[in-house]
């Protein structure tokens, strides 16, 4: 026997062994799949590959023919299940196709003495499989092309706060929540010329000895008086020269944090300017000269501070030497870290209206999520809206010293209509989230949804509930958008758009709370855990980003056929009957998941063109109720851990109810073992979409983001190629009158500019860290800047940093 023949024989043996391993894994997984009600394919294909491996090992050409049957059968099965969807076809064909190609290699074919009759079917299968992948790469069934209208149907949208075009004075520029700027120097024709104008570094980085895992940088700066104001990781407030990036002053509240905190987060600060002839909340003239312009910042240990915008010193006339302690003020429980305000408050001429973030899934004995209003000059409590109290406006007194424990909270940003004098508060359910048998009717009156209050008194004007008896943490998570929509007769209707975790966008008349877009009640799955119940119906807005059909085998993904099989078995092992399937001890697939399709970033809305830019997320979660037992006590050991380990995934204690809960994303278990955290759902996991608000139709949608940084934090020292697959984003967009939208919040580290009309990427730049924040823009001396905070996000596994980055056009291009 020649050395070539011996070498070929060795390779054939190796190929046969590898085929046998693949076949055995598919057989084992296939048996498990059938036991969970999954498809027969994995068992059948595994047996076919084992049989082929046996013949190949015996050097019999029938092994090639047998494998041809497996390959062609796999191709037919895959096309029937997912059609010409490239990302769905890849894991169903990759390993099978590679083995087929190997069997056709000349030295393997000769060692098997395979004649043309044996190899033609296999060759045809390989060609057809490759052709299917090539064709599908050009046919993206997810992608929807279209063009948003360009007409300015409302050339002069309301600006009741009189914000100058070049300023950005609130979290979303104005308190309408729209993240829109009328600036147009940077536009879709010249945005590709943007360059870094300056970079400022805060020096505020995570401290592993004291910070929780959910240490995040989510801040969007304010800009006025040629100065940027923003907060860093540990809630330090910075004033920065907006033309140079030079720090003017820093205020350090010295946050008292520990690893048991669920959050270390600051989304931004608020600002107030004392008007002429100012009066306080009681109607008395304001005589203090302290802090003509104020920065209001929330601190995660439960404090609110006011700072002089000019000097960076605390406003001494406010509260106790410039601060109000919200954690100890009328709260029923004061454990550090359980009450942690994270979002900038609404500011009126007289009041600061403060939302709350209460730790999820700790116990039934936690702080209240009551919204409170304080006099902006003195820090005096003026009104309260305590959603679980039978009288939500009951003020603290000797008979009622504390707010209602575990009252539903609003952890996000509220919106404010100065003309209507109404504040719109996006509500979340009271904790614990996934089992509601303990809740009374008062605790469930409002959340989740939006309550509209009179801004002066806190009295309810209307409310709209977006989920009934929420068991899925489906908060109204984003700041609502206030947009005046032009009707066919030319009249304007003051609307409110409410993006939610469920993917629905509820559209109401913001004067009355009456729906503009229908949201019919549709049947929902039943069968809640013992002691609980479900609502028989749930509202479904006709404006939604949620997929029309429930998840099925066609939606299950994996990097290879083995991963895809494991994910399929995982899928079939869980309870899932579509949206609103209740949590269970079996484990329930929750989609949209706890992260939501819309998080706190919300929508960017152009009120002139009445269009919106959005970045929905599509990651299922798994929610498993864990019954109480010896290792899961009803209450913690008073001498042991009282607060859990922080974070919103993993085992959550839920002390005081019959179940703890284990929460985590629906991820590929095999890849997770090597630190590659990819969902078991077919991509895209993140997208961008354009909405026509006059018709309330999604006009275009595209995958957004690449795999490039998906291995950050893993044990694999490699960088994935920048393949456009559509990755999650956590943060909000910016829209401008220059027909450009900006987004920085994707899992890969880029700032991208999009043609707002079509959604196509027209510029991008690499960032030094994750930028899970919303960008903003302003103009000084005729020069427009785009600014993003690239600080990273601990729970999103993006690289941490401390970079405030400004972009502008080269000066020679500014006048063009």
């Amino acid at each position: 026997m020649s050395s070539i023949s011996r070498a070929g024989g060795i390779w054939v043996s190796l190929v046969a062994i590898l085929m046998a391993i693949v076949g055995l894994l598919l057989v084992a997984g296939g048996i498990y799949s059938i036991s969970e009600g999954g498809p027969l394919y994995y068992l059948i294909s595994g047996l076919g590959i084992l049989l082929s491996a046996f013949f190949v090992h015996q050097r019999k050409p029938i092994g090639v023919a047998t494998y041809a049957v497996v390959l062609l059968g796999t191709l037919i099965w895959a096309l029937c299940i997912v059609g010409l969807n490239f990302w769905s076809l890849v894991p169903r064909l990759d390993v099978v196709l590679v083995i087929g190609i190997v069997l056709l290699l000349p030295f393997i074919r000769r060692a098997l003495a395979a004649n043309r009759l044996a190899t033609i079917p296999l060759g045809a299968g390989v060609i057809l499989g490759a052709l299917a992948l090539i064709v599908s790469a050009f046919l993206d069934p997810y992608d929807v092309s279209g063009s948003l209208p360009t007409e300015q149907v409302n050339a002069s949208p309301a600006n009741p706060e009189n914000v100058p075009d070049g300023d950005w004075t609130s979290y979303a520029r104005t308190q309408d929540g729209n993240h829109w700027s009328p600036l147009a120097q940077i536009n879709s024709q010249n945005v590709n010329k943007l360059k870094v104008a300056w970079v400022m570094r805060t020096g505020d980085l995570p401290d592993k000895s004291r910070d929780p895992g959910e240490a995040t940088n989510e801040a969007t700066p304010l800009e006025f008086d040629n100065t940027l104001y923003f907060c860093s990781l540990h809630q330090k407030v910075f004033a920065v020269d907006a033309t140079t990036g030079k720090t003017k002053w820093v205020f350090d509240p010295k946050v008292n944090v520990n690893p048991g905190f669920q959050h270390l987060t600051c989304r931004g600060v608020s600002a107030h300017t004392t008007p002429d002839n100012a009066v306080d909340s009681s109607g008395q003239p304001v005589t203090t000269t302290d802090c003509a312009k104020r920065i209001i910042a929330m601190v995660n240990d439960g404090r609110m501070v006011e700072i002089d915008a000019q000097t960076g010193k605390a406003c001494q006339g406010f509260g106790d030497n410039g601060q109000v302690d919200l954690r100890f003020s009328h709260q029923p429980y004061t454990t550090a870290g359980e009450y942690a305000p994270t979002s900038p408050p609404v500011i009126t001429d007289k009041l600061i209206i403060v939302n709350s973030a209460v730790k999820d899934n700790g116990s039934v004995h936690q702080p209240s999520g009551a919204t409170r209003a304080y006099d902006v000059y003195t820090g005096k409590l003026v009104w309260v809206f305590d959603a679980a109290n039978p009288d939500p406006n009951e003020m603290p007194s000797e008979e009622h010293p504390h707010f209602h424990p575990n009252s539903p909270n609003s952890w996000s940003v509220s919106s404010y209509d100065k003309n209507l004098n109404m504040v719109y508060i996006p509500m979340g359910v009271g904790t614990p989230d996934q089992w509601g048998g303990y809740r009374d009717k008062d605790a469930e009156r409002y959340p989740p949804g939006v309550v509209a209050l009179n801004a002066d008194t806190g009295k309810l004007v209307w409310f709209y509930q977006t989920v009934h008896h929420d068991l899925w943490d489906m908060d109204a998570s984003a700041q609502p958008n206030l947009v005046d929509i032009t009707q066919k007769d030319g009249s304007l209707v003051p609307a409110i758009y409410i993006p939610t975790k469920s993917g629905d966008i509820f559209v109401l008349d913001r004067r009355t709370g009456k729906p503009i877009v229908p949201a019919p009640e549709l049947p929902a799955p039943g069968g809640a855990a013992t002691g609980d119940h479900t609502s028989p119906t749930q509202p479904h807005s006709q404006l939604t980003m949620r997929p029309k059909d429930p998840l099925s085998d066609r939606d299950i993904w994996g990097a290879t056929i083995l991963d895809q099989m494991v994910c399929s078995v995982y899928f079939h092992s869980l309870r899932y009957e579509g949206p609103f399937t209740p949590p269970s001890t079996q484990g329930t697939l929750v989609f949209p998941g706890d992260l939501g399709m819309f998080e706190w970033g919300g929508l960017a809305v152009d009120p002139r063109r009445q269009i919106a830019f959005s970045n929905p997320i599509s990651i299922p979660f798994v929610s498993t109720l864990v019954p109480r037992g010896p290792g899961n006590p009803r209450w913690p050991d008073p001498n042991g851990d009282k607060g859990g380990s922080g974070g919103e995934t993993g085992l959550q204690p839920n002390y005081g109810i019959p179940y703890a809960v284990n929460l985590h994303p629906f991820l590929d278990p095999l890849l997770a073992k090597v630190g590659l955290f990819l969902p078991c759902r077919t991509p895209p996991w993140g997208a961008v979409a354009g909405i026509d608000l006059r018709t309330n139709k999604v006009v275009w949608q595209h995958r957004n983001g690449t795999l490039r940084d998906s291995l950050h934090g893993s044990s694999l020292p490699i960088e994935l190629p920048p393949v456009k697959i559509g990755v999650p984003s956590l943060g909000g967009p910016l829209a401008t009158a220059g027909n450009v939208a900006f987004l920085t919040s994707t899992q890969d580290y880029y700032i991208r500019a999009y043609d707002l009309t079509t959604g196509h990427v027209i510029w991008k730049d690499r960032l030094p860290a994750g930028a899970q924040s919303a960008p903003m823009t302003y103009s000084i001396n005729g020069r427009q800047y785009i600014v993003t905070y690239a600080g990273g996000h601990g729970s999103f596994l993006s690289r941490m940093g401390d970079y405030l980055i400004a972009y502008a056009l080269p000066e020679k291009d500014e006048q063009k």
Side-chain angles (χ1 to χ4, degrees), residues 430-511:
T431 187
D433 295 325
Q434 281 75 26
W435 189 84
Y438 69 97
R439 303 176 197 155
D440 61 25
K441 61 181 179 61
D442 292 321
E444 296 211 296
R445 275 178 304 178
Y446 304 117
V450 165
V451 293
L453 307 179
N454 180 289
D456 287 340
T457 65
K459 299 293 185 181
L460 180 71
V461 181
W462 57 259
F463 80 93
Y464 186 89
Q465 191 172 69
T466 55
V467 175
H468 309 318
H469 192 63
D470 181 14
L471 302 175
W472 309 272
D473 196 18
M474 289 291 115
D475 302 337
S477 52
Q479 183 180 19
N481 298 83
L482 311 184
V483 196
D484 295 337
I485 301 298
T486 304
Q487 305 301 295
K488 291 181 179 178
D489 62 2
S491 62
L492 290 173
V493 171
I496 179 171
Y497 283 73
I498 307 168
T500 63
K501 284 188 176 184
S502 69
D504 285 330
I505 303 172
F506 293 89
V507 188
L508 317 175
D509 185 318
R510 67 176 181 270
R511 298 167 297 187

Side-chain angles (χ1 to χ4, degrees), residues 280-294:
D280 63 19
S281 59
S282 61
Q284 298 301 309
V286 174
T287 58
T288 179
T289 58
D290 184 31
C291 298
K293 294 186 178 182
R294 304 162 184 260

Side-chain angles (χ1 to χ4, degrees), residues 434-435 529 583-588 623-627 654 659-662:
Q434 281 75 26
W435 189 84
S584 62
T585 55
Q586 173 186 346
T588 291
S623 176
T624 306
L625 297 177
V626 182
N654 284 349
Y659 302 94
V661 63
N662 198 334

